[in-house]
Amino acid sequence: MNVRRLAGWALIVGTIVAAAGYLAANLLAPGSGDEVFRYQNWPLFEGIALVGNVIIALGLPVILTFAGRAPKLHIVGYVGIFAAFVMLNVGEGTTEAFVKPYLVGHGGIPAEEPAGFAVFEGVALLALVVGSICLGIAVLRARTLPWWIGVALIVSCLIGALGLPGAWFLVPDGVFFAALFAIGVLALRGRPDGTPATVGQAVVSAQG
């Protein structure tokens, strides 16, 4: 199995595991706000999501194999998304999964964030916005992936900016993961000329 196929499987497995972890944690946890961190299975489900995110990060470089006619935009998009993934989904995700549940049971979560954390989060969010939009445009320009993947990457960023209430805040992550899942499927098999197969062709190839 070549590196491209391994990266494709990483995106497929990672998105499924991460989505399952996030859904379980946020839909099953009682209460809202800081109370969710008291849920006994919160660290387990968030930990599962964290593992999924690490797997996704390992598969993200496969995005560059679809650069086609827009290599610079693909590179900018990849760097932005990778940086945001490591800083938010993995870095901050570790805090959400293990640190905050501990703090809730030992005096409560401080009202003020640690010095510099707002800057850290701001940089990560900027990287996510720039990365998602640039990669979305790159996909539309390169035409080596279905157009809807580029649109989904851009739309996920725009929906996230709306700050949806409750469990609806998972929608932009779901759209984003769907785009990465499709890229992973398409990475499993490309045509002889280097262009990707359709999602259906790739799935049939993987099952065969």
Side-chain angles (χ1 to χ4, degrees):
M1 183 179 291
N2 60 34
V3 175
R4 178 183 169 122
R5 287 177 61 83
L6 283 173
W9 276 117
L11 288 186
I12 292 171
V13 174
T15 51
I16 293 174
V17 172
Y22 284 134
L23 285 172
N26 289 279
L27 296 182
L28 297 180
S32 59
D34 291 349
E35 287 302 311
V36 299
F37 299 116
R38 297 184 185 277
Y39 178 44
Q40 62 179 358
N41 290 325
W42 180 270
L44 170 63
F45 293 142
E46 284 287 308
I48 291 173
L50 183 62
V51 170
N53 285 316
V54 171
I55 297 173
I56 291 173
L58 294 175
L60 276 179
V62 78
I63 289 172
L64 298 176
T65 66
F66 295 96
R69 295 179 296 178
K72 292 182 179 179
L73 271 177
H74 265 83
I75 292 174
V76 173
Y78 163 73
V79 171
I81 287 177
F82 183 82
F85 231 88
V86 172
M87 297 173 74
L88 294 176
N89 292 45
V90 177
E92 190 175 347
T94 302
T95 302
E96 294 282 326
F98 306 112
V99 178
K100 287 186 177 181
Y102 175 83
L103 291 176
V104 164
H106 294 78
I109 298 174
E112 295 184 4
E113 295 179 339
F117 185 77
V119 176
F120 172 86
E121 194 173 48
V123 171
L125 290 174
L126 178 61
L128 178 61
V129 171
V130 173
S132 297
I133 293 177
C134 285
L135 185 59
I137 295 173
V139 168
L140 294 175
R141 289 188 59 186
R143 299 181 181 178
T144 54
L145 289 168
W147 64 268
W148 67 264
I149 292 179
V151 173
L153 290 169
I154 297 172
V155 168
S156 68
C157 180
L158 298 178
I159 297 176
L162 296 177
L164 299 177
W168 288 103
F169 83 93
L170 292 173
V171 171
D173 283 344
V175 174
F176 187 75
F177 283 162
L180 293 184
F181 178 89
I183 293 174
V185 172
L186 291 165
L188 294 182
R189 181 186 182 188
R191 296 195 181 100
D193 61 359
T195 59
T198 63
V199 175
Q201 290 171 328
V203 170
V204 171
S205 173
Q207 291 176 341

